[in-house]
Amino acid sequence: MFWFQRPKWYENAVIYQIYPWSFQDSNGDGIGDLEGIISRLDYFRGSPHSLGVDALWISPVYPSPMKDFGYDVTDYCDIDPRFGTLEIFDKLVAEAHKRGLKIIMDLVVNHTSREHPWFQEARMSKTNPKRDWYVWKDPLPGGLPPNNWLAVSGGSAWTPDPSTGQCYLHHFLPHQPDLNWRNDEVRKEFKKIIDFWLKRGVDGFRVDAVAHTVEDKRFRDDPVNTHFVKGVDLPYDEYLHMYDENQPEVIGVINLICESSKKYRDIFIVTESYVDLTQLIKIYDGCTYRNHTPFNFNLFELFKKPWSAEIYRAFINAFDKLVGPKRVPTYVLGNHDHRRVLTRFGETRTRLLALMLLTLRGTVFVYYGEEIGMKNVEIPKHKMKDGFATLIENPSILRDPERTPMQWSDDLNAGFSEVEPWLPVSEDYAKVNVKTERANPESMFYLYKMLLYYRNASEALRYGEYVPRNAKSSDVFFYSRKTSKEEWFVMLNFSNEIVNEELVVEGRKLQIACSTYMNTPLSSKENTVTLRPYEGVLFTSS
Ligand code: BGC
């Protein structure tokens, strides 16, 4: 944050991700749509019952053959009829804005669908004017792929195209040919696309797979990953992605996108790169625009490590410090590509992580259903839809289980649709749903609502400095959020045992604002508070 300037809406905002296929069906076809989203806008903002988030990021709604559920686009300037029309999209933006809610589009820049007219032209001949819009190479002798690059979705990143005998590059499915971002016309075209949506009033873009947009000019082989364990690691991890991902030129793509949105007010750009802290800071440093922040997916890496306060404390302290006061960190517990957080950790620990997420300095993202404690749903093989699933026999990459219909009520199909939904509804929907949880002050929904209430009401919780604190127990991750006027404290007990902590900090007595155990009172005696297993507590100070 720039302390001397008024914060922008996106700085330290809470952004809610909608996966449109699964949010709300309005026309009885078993698939969510834009009218469905419009009918649910009060859920987010504008009524006393609203959650109180700042923006919606909507996963792709462009026309698409849906081999990758919208991440394979055939027209960047229209809406897929399954979801609605441009007019309905305009209505969505207008209705959201009426409520003070921002709309963020998903911008798929790395690749198109194989059915996009650009690719259809490009593949016609080696001399077609669109040929260089994609990345082509001759196969090696014997028809082998041009190099050892792998697709994230499995197999080689090259597919031979019979029309010319050359191979095209695809970092994801063969249905998703990679665009060539070294080509000026591609860059110009995306400037137009960005303009098209900004004119329609959208407030920002989540830029998909930006890390893959530029590859090594010499197409060198990636080095072997000597730590790779077959059958345990994802097949994609067999090589270190030194030449096919996160090339220095990617910053140029990010800057171009930010530059293109400069003439519009307060447009937020968040880019997708799975990188470690060092590389993340390079992205922050390389981008010259204040309205950009890279996603930080490092919590997903922490999730794979042993559950311990020390691991979270060390990462968050380091990250917050490296990002510094002039920029904004981001945090994510889940999205449409990862196992839901509740499935990883169970309810009690997920509550602790929710309290952490919503009290950290940074722009944070909530994946639909996280706020009611939705979990992954086991999908029988014959009902699987994810295009990645058909290519890889590796269950950990299948993404259908975290994409199931939103659970609104205990009505038929959880209130998502009147007909059988495209993916099965979770069996727990009679209990885990918005309607039931709204009536239960102990619920996950209530916890989110309360934390969002505090975050919106307090300058310190939203914009304040992050201050690492020392707890008595090493199992407790302790920090505060501070402005010159107020300070809030957070204690997170990572152990599954009772822990006693001091209630007096620098002569100030802490007062409990909210606990992840909700209404079950916390016991505090004089100057000591007793934290229960995996309990997270938010305190004010007098
Ligand atoms: C999206 C995925 C998608 C991939 C290819 C990702 O980063 O989040 O869902 O499959 O890009 O577009």
Side-chain angles (χ1 to χ4, degrees):
M1 239 269 296
F2 292 64
W3 301 115
F4 47 90
Q5 288 175 332
R6 250 188 104 225
K8 299 286 188 186
W9 72 263
Y10 44 79
E11 286 171 339
N12 300 291
V14 178
I15 300 179
Y16 186 101
Q17 182 189 354
I18 287 186
Y19 195 68
W21 273 80
S22 279
F23 199 63
Q24 178 67 64
D25 177 14
S26 76
N27 59 356
D29 61 0
I31 297 170
D33 47 53
L34 296 181
E35 286 286 10
I37 299 174
I38 295 171
S39 72
R40 294 292 184 183
L41 287 176
D42 285 343
Y43 180 60
F44 302 109
R45 233 185 147 85
S47 103
H49 301 293
S50 308
L51 268 173
V53 300
D54 300 286
L56 303 181
W57 146 32
I58 303 177
S59 283
V61 284
Y62 310 99
S64 163
M66 302 291 172
K67 299 284 183 209
D68 190 14
F69 291 90
Y71 286 96
D72 46 331
V73 178
T74 52
D75 183 353
Y76 285 93
C77 297
D78 207 347
I79 299 291
D80 192 282
R82 291 174 187 85
F83 299 129
T85 60
L86 279 173
E87 288 65 41
I88 301 172
F89 183 83
D90 292 343
K91 181 166 127 194
L92 167 66
V93 173
E95 286 297 321
H97 286 174
K98 264 191 214 161
R99 293 162 172 82
L101 192 64
K102 309 282 185 182
I103 297 288
I104 295 175
M105 281 294 266
D106 211 310
L107 192 63
V108 187
V109 292
N110 177 64
H111 45 264
T112 65
S113 158
R114 199 157 54 183
E115 292 168 35
H116 195 295
W118 302 340
F119 188 73
Q120 290 306 315
E121 269 194 56
R123 75 194 315 184
M124 283 164 76
S125 74
K126 287 188 188 172
T127 52
N128 187 282
K130 290 269 179 336
R131 185 70 172 181
D132 190 51
W133 283 40
Y134 294 86
V135 184
W136 301 92
K137 286 286 277 176
D138 288 326
L140 295 180
L144 292 173
N147 65 17
N148 70 358
W149 295 353
L150 296 175
V152 177
S153 48
S156 169
W158 297 96
T159 289
D161 194 41
S163 46
T164 59
Q166 281 199 308
C167 298
Y168 62 88
L169 180 70
H170 54 90
H171 281 298
F172 297 90
L173 296 170
H175 307 272
Q176 296 167 296
D178 266 47
L179 284 160
N180 175 14
W181 271 85
R182 295 187 193 275
N183 178 302
D184 258 351
E185 287 174 30
V186 168
R187 302 165 85 93
K188 275 193 206 134
E189 192 63 34
F190 269 93
K191 285 188 195 165
K192 284 196 228 152
I193 293 165
I194 289 169
D195 219 47
F196 176 86
W197 291 105
L198 292 180
K199 274 197 194 127
R200 297 199 101 86
V202 306
D203 304 285
F205 297 100
R206 174 263 184 192
V207 186
D208 184 60
V210 79
H212 297 275
T213 46
V214 191
E215 300 78 32
D216 178 43
K217 253 189 173 153
R218 288 157 59 197
F219 295 90
R220 282 170 283 186
D221 274 347
D222 277 328
V224 169
N225 174 6
T226 50
H227 299 292
F228 176 71
V229 186
K230 209 177 160 139
V232 173
D233 294 318
L234 294 179
Y236 184 64
D237 294 333
E238 190 172 344
Y239 297 103
L240 299 173
H241 297 283
M242 190 179 271
Y243 297 119
D244 62 345
E245 245 191 69
N246 293 309
Q247 300 301 293
E249 293 92 335
V250 167
I251 286 292
V253 178
I254 297 175
N255 277 320
L256 177 138
I257 293 167
C258 294
E259 172 71 30
S260 313
S261 52
K262 220 175 61 184
K263 64 174 190 241
Y264 296 86
R265 266 177 73 84
D266 295 347
I267 299 305
F268 177 51
I269 308 292
V270 57
T271 51
E272 187 197 34
S273 311
Y274 283 80
V275 290
D276 65 14
L277 264 197
T278 320
Q279 277 182 298
L280 202 54
I281 297 303
K282 277 194 194 151
I283 301 177
Y284 274 105
D285 287 345
C287 181
T288 42
Y289 296 87
R290 179 185 163 193
N291 66 342
H292 164 257
T293 171
F295 269 116
N296 155 35
F297 293 119
N298 284 281
L299 289 184
F300 292 137
E301 293 307 310
L302 302 201
F303 291 169
K304 294 179 199 156
K305 297 185 176 174
W307 169 262
S308 98
E310 183 45 37
I311 287 178
Y312 285 78
R313 182 190 302 125
F315 173 76
I316 288 165
N317 288 353
F319 180 46
D320 190 85
K321 196 163 163 196
L322 281 171
V323 171
K326 291 194 176 173
R327 300 174 297 195
V328 183
T330 65
Y331 295 97
V332 174
L333 297 180
N335 66 28
H336 62 294
D337 295 327
H338 294 272
R339 256 190 327 140
R340 285 189 178 271
V341 61
L342 194 114
T343 299
R344 296 174 190 264
F345 296 112
E347 170 133 6
T348 322
R349 287 190 291 167
T350 297
R351 285 179 177 236
L352 175 148
L353 290 174
L355 193 141
M356 181 184 89
L357 181 84
L358 295 174
T359 56
L360 281 174
R361 181 175 84 93
T363 298
V364 303
F365 293 81
V366 174
Y367 183 49
Y368 83 93
E370 246 164 38
E371 76 283 13
I372 53 170
M374 273 176 63
K375 62 174 196 288
N376 272 33
V377 176
E378 237 181 86
I379 312 285
K381 216 167 174 171
H382 68 281
K383 292 202 167 163
M384 282 179 188
K385 299 283 184 344
D386 185 5
F388 284 22
T390 55
L391 291 179
I392 299 187
E393 287 297 306
N394 184 336
S396 64
I397 205 168
L398 304 188
R399 301 167 298 177
D400 294 326
E402 57 259 20
R403 296 176 175 180
T404 59
M406 176 68 180
Q407 294 160 215
W408 292 106
S409 66
D410 54 4
D411 297 336
L412 176 73
N413 299 321
F416 164 74
S417 175
E418 285 163 9
V419 301
E420 190 186 341
W422 75 293
L423 279 177
V425 174
S426 178
E427 279 176 3
D428 65 8
Y429 81 92
K431 206 171 122 232
V432 178
N433 67 65
V434 173
K435 192 170 157 216
T436 307
E437 293 192 31
R438 258 198 183 131
N440 172 9
E442 305 278 313
S443 66
M444 184 74 94
F445 176 83
Y446 243 87
L447 176 66
Y448 266 80
K449 193 160 155 45
M450 187 137 80
L451 290 169
L452 282 161
Y453 167 79
Y454 283 122
R455 191 176 169 105
N456 288 331
S458 146
E459 283 259 312
L461 272 178
R462 174 128 181 187
Y463 302 111
E465 185 187 348
Y466 165 84
V467 186
R469 297 269 170 190
N470 290 322
K472 260 170 58 187
S473 159
S474 61
D475 284 329
V476 174
F477 176 21
F478 185 25
Y479 55 88
S480 70
R481 300 290 312 286
K482 185 179 173 185
T483 59
S484 55
K485 297 196 193 100
E486 51 168 348
E487 186 163 12
W488 293 66
F489 293 81
V490 175
M491 285 184 195
L492 305 170
N493 176 16
F494 273 70
S495 81
N496 66 354
E497 281 167 19
I498 283 174
V499 171
N500 290 318
E501 284 294 334
E502 295 280 339
L503 257 188
V504 178
V505 177
E506 292 158 1
R508 281 169 299 165
K509 180 115 183 227
L510 307 188
Q511 272 135 35
I512 296 159
C514 142
S515 151
T516 52
Y517 276 59
M518 303 300 282
N519 289 345
T520 329
L522 199 68
S523 91
S524 62
K525 249 198 235 141
E526 289 178 9
N527 291 340
T528 305
V529 62
T530 303
L531 302 175
R532 289 158 287 187
Y534 305 136
E535 181 165 21
V537 185
L538 174 66
F539 302 91
T540 55
S541 61
S542 46

